[in-house]
Amino acid sequence: MSQSLAGARTAAVPMAEVVLSGDLGRPSRLTVPDLLAWPQCGAEVSFECATSGVQRHRFTGPLLYDVLSAAEPGFDPARRKDRLRFLIAVTGADGHHTLLSWAEIDPDFGRAPVLLAVTLDDNPLDRAGPQLVLPQDRCGARYISGITAVRVDGGYPAWA
Ligand SMILES: Nc1nc2c(c(=O)[nH]1)N[C@H]1C(S)=C(S)[C@@H](COP(=O)(O)O)O[C@H]1N2
Ligand SMILES: [Mo]
């Protein structure tokens, strides 16, 4: 096969991208290789699935907190109370989604070491897209795979 044909085949399977949007000074689109730019953490986790029982996996990737902090959320970092209004919505390719509070992953509050995983059991997630890893969760339902969008929203409470 010619070089150009091989290249065309590779290009035909687009690399997954995560759209970072919302109340951010620096919104962006990130591929899994882009996520290697942050310090990588590892997590050996087990979680229970309501339908398939207990699963154990090893994940690596950057902290969600680090990636979102670099995108400059629209709060004053010096004012801790300002951060408490912020929510993080994470969406998978199949539409499965969940919400986290900013405070849940903030080192001044919940300090949950939530990852945007780029490997699952030593396999890269370049094509599938990153997976949300929440070592503190007993249940697997928030381990969203094939993440396509992460939206940060500081509009809560809506009645303020
Ligand atoms: N995108 C996406 N991620 C998902 C789900 C899903 O339906 N869609 N299911 C969740 C649930 S309920 C569990 S238990 C874990 C592990 O699911 P698996 O056994 O299908 O891998 O993935 C989570 N991540
Ligand atoms: Mo599940």
Side-chain angles (χ1 to χ4, degrees):
M1 188 189 299
S2 73
Q3 284 281 318
S4 58
L5 193 54
R9 286 238 172 120
T10 310
V13 185
M15 196 167 291
E17 273 192 333
V18 179
V19 176
L20 298 189
S21 68
D23 295 334
L24 298 172
R26 301 182 59 183
S28 63
R29 303 174 77 92
L30 298 172
T31 63
V32 164
D34 290 337
L35 291 169
L36 296 172
W38 283 270
Q40 303 293 296
C41 303
E44 308 265 357
V45 301
S46 72
F47 56 77
E48 188 184 335
C49 174
T51 50
S52 59
V54 175
Q55 298 187 29
R56 291 178 204 288
H57 295 291
R58 172 172 168 75
F59 294 95
T60 68
L63 291 169
L64 177 64
Y65 176 82
D66 288 348
V67 175
L68 292 183
S69 294
E72 299 177 3
F75 49 65
D76 178 350
R79 294 181 59 232
R80 291 180 183 160
K81 286 163 84 173
D82 201 26
R83 297 176 225 157
L84 305 182
R85 293 177 292 116
F86 280 70
L87 292 182
I88 302 162
V90 180
T91 306
D94 60 354
H96 182 48
H97 56 241
T98 193
L99 294 175
L100 291 81
S101 69
W102 182 272
E104 192 174 350
I105 61 167
D106 190 307
D108 287 331
F109 297 100
R111 302 188 285 191
V114 175
L115 303 183
L116 270 180
V118 296
T119 71
L120 161 58
D121 298 331
D122 298 320
N123 299 308
L125 294 172
D126 295 40
R127 301 269 175 227
Q131 182 158 1
L132 197 65
V133 172
L134 310 99
Q136 75 277 19
D137 280 17
R138 193 191 67 78
C139 167
R142 292 205 294 177
Y143 278 73
I144 296 185
S145 57
I147 296 173
T148 54
V150 179
R151 190 176 174 85
V152 175
D153 193 332
Y156 294 87
W159 57 87

